[in-house]
Amino acid sequence: MNAKLGNQRIFAVSASRAIGAGQPVYIIAEIGINHNGSLDIAKKLIDEAVAAGCDAVKFQKRTPELCTPKDQWHLERETPWGRMTYINYRKIIELGYDEYAAIDVYCKEKGIDWFVSCWDEEAVDFMEQFNPGVYKFASASLTDHALIEKVKRTGKPYILSTGMSTMTEIRAAVETFGTDNLMIAHSTSAYPCPPQELNLRMIETLAELYPGVPIGYSGHETGLATTVAAVAMGACFVERHFTLDRAMWGSDHAASVEPQGMHKLVRDIRDIELAMGDGVKKVYDSELGAMKRLRRVHYADATNAATI
């Protein structure tokens, strides 16, 4: 499933895309539950992600009875579908087999990858029906070693997101499961996250701590510049929550990027990739005209003058 370039791994996550050393930054539009239980909204979000140039869309898959604390089941709340218990709300917004089968076909038609964050073991069994190329763990799942073990047994590459986690917890997960199929996403689990808590230098810290492991960034801030900065600091994949409209009803919309913003983000990330270069100084053809007009002393002339 993966190849090595020097000491750095490359993970093929689909027939046309890979994550790791020397690969274009893998840009993930995290739809999550921003579809609000609607396949039509999910398809509109996929269309917008394709139009923006994203590499993948990602969803979240839960078994509500396993992921919802029992003391929360019967608490009532107002929803767009009327007043209902929390467990019924969780069921309404969960997409089922028919919806994911349609998403699978739709994404293949559109030429975009799709995968999920699974929140429980039954969800992993469910998603294996669609043979995803990669899995991701939400930050809340970094300490759920039984769930990580379940995904690890699939043999697929997986992304550990590190929000709300201590270095002790991160090290425990990596030491327990190794780095063979591992990618790590730096993250801070605040929605939205203030800039002073983004701590982007953790991207470099994780890269130094786990050489060879692709390191990325999962952002929950409201702006775009800091995600672009994460790429400049070495993130080889990025994920941002994605919505049609931040004013829509739901818990994640306010900290999400709208279609126009995603277009800008993808454009700026691709510009950063081009601008990084190879670190070898050279004089470009585009500079020669300016050199001829503006440089009074050329190196050869200066050398001759110094030897006279």
Side-chain angles (χ1 to χ4, degrees):
M1 182 63 81
N2 70 79
K4 288 189 177 182
L5 181 63
N7 192 38
Q8 298 181 338
R9 296 183 183 87
I10 301 171
F11 293 97
V13 295
S14 68
S16 58
R17 295 177 176 89
I19 303 175
Q23 303 300 307
V25 174
Y26 191 75
I27 303 173
I28 306 162
E30 157 72 311
I31 293 173
I33 56 173
N34 281 350
H35 50 70
N36 287 356
S38 165
L39 178 59
D40 286 341
I41 293 176
K43 286 184 174 181
K44 289 177 182 177
L45 284 162
I46 292 166
D47 287 341
E48 293 290 355
V50 170
C54 296
D55 296 293
V57 292
K58 188 178 77 66
F59 297 86
Q60 297 178 19
K61 181 59 182 171
R62 295 171 173 86
T63 306
E65 293 84 355
L66 296 179
C67 294
T68 307
K70 287 192 176 181
D71 62 356
Q72 302 290 309
W73 281 24
H74 302 296
L75 298 180
E76 294 191 347
R77 64 183 296 173
E78 296 294 339
T79 77
W81 307 277
R83 189 170 179 83
M84 65 180 63
T85 62
Y86 187 56
I87 189 66
N88 285 337
Y89 158 71
R90 296 305 316 182
K91 290 178 180 178
I92 280 179
I93 64 169
E94 198 65 44
L95 300 177
Y97 179 84
D98 289 344
E99 289 85 3
Y100 275 117
I103 286 169
D104 186 45
V105 171
Y106 199 69
C107 286
K108 287 174 179 174
E109 290 175 351
K110 298 292 182 176
I112 191 169
D113 293 350
W114 77 277
F115 61 104
V116 302
S117 296
C118 289
W119 287 69
D120 59 84
E121 291 88 339
E122 287 189 16
V124 178
D125 289 332
F126 177 90
M127 292 312 306
E128 276 295 285
Q129 300 174 94
F130 302 102
N131 193 30
V134 59
Y135 280 98
K136 183 173 182 288
F137 293 96
S139 291
S141 299
L142 182 136
T143 55
D144 190 341
H145 287 196
L147 180 58
I148 298 173
E149 176 61 31
K150 178 76 173 181
V151 168
K152 188 173 174 62
R153 286 200 297 267
T154 69
K156 308 282 179 60
Y158 59 92
I159 299 168
L160 281 180
S161 201
T162 57
M164 69 180 77
S165 302
T166 66
M167 284 305 304
T168 298
E169 291 168 333
I170 294 169
R171 286 190 178 97
V174 176
E175 289 171 5
T176 300
F177 299 102
T179 62
D180 288 348
N181 288 319
L182 175 65
M183 293 176 276
I184 300 176
H186 167 59
S187 182
T188 302
S189 297
Y191 301 81
C193 185
Q196 65 270 23
E197 295 180 0
L198 291 175
N199 197 12
L200 294 182
R201 286 197 174 96
M202 270 301 302
I203 295 169
E204 297 172 340
T205 298
L206 290 167
E208 291 172 3
L209 190 61
Y210 301 112
V213 173
I215 306 298
Y217 176 65
S218 178
H220 305 109
E221 65 269 38
T222 54
L224 305 177
T226 44
T227 299
V228 177
V231 172
M233 296 180 73
C236 58
F237 62 91
V238 298
E239 173 190 77
R240 288 294 301 268
H241 282 262
F242 189 47
T243 182
L244 297 175
D245 185 344
R246 289 194 296 168
M248 290 176 68
W249 187 91
S251 59
D252 290 343
H253 292 281
S256 298
V257 178
E258 293 175 332
Q260 184 177 5
M262 190 62 80
H263 278 263
K264 292 178 180 177
L265 181 63
V266 173
R267 178 201 65 197
D268 290 349
I269 287 174
R270 298 307 179 210
D271 283 347
I272 286 291
E273 288 180 303
L274 291 173
M276 292 299 286
D278 58 11
V280 178
K281 182 59 179 168
K282 55 181 71 70
V283 177
Y284 294 94
D285 290 345
S286 59
E287 298 178 280
L288 296 178
M291 181 194 298
K292 188 174 182 179
R293 292 192 309 272
L294 302 175
R295 178 164 281 177
R296 189 169 72 95
V297 178
H298 291 271
Y299 179 73
D301 296 335
T303 301
N304 293 337
T307 59
I308 292 174

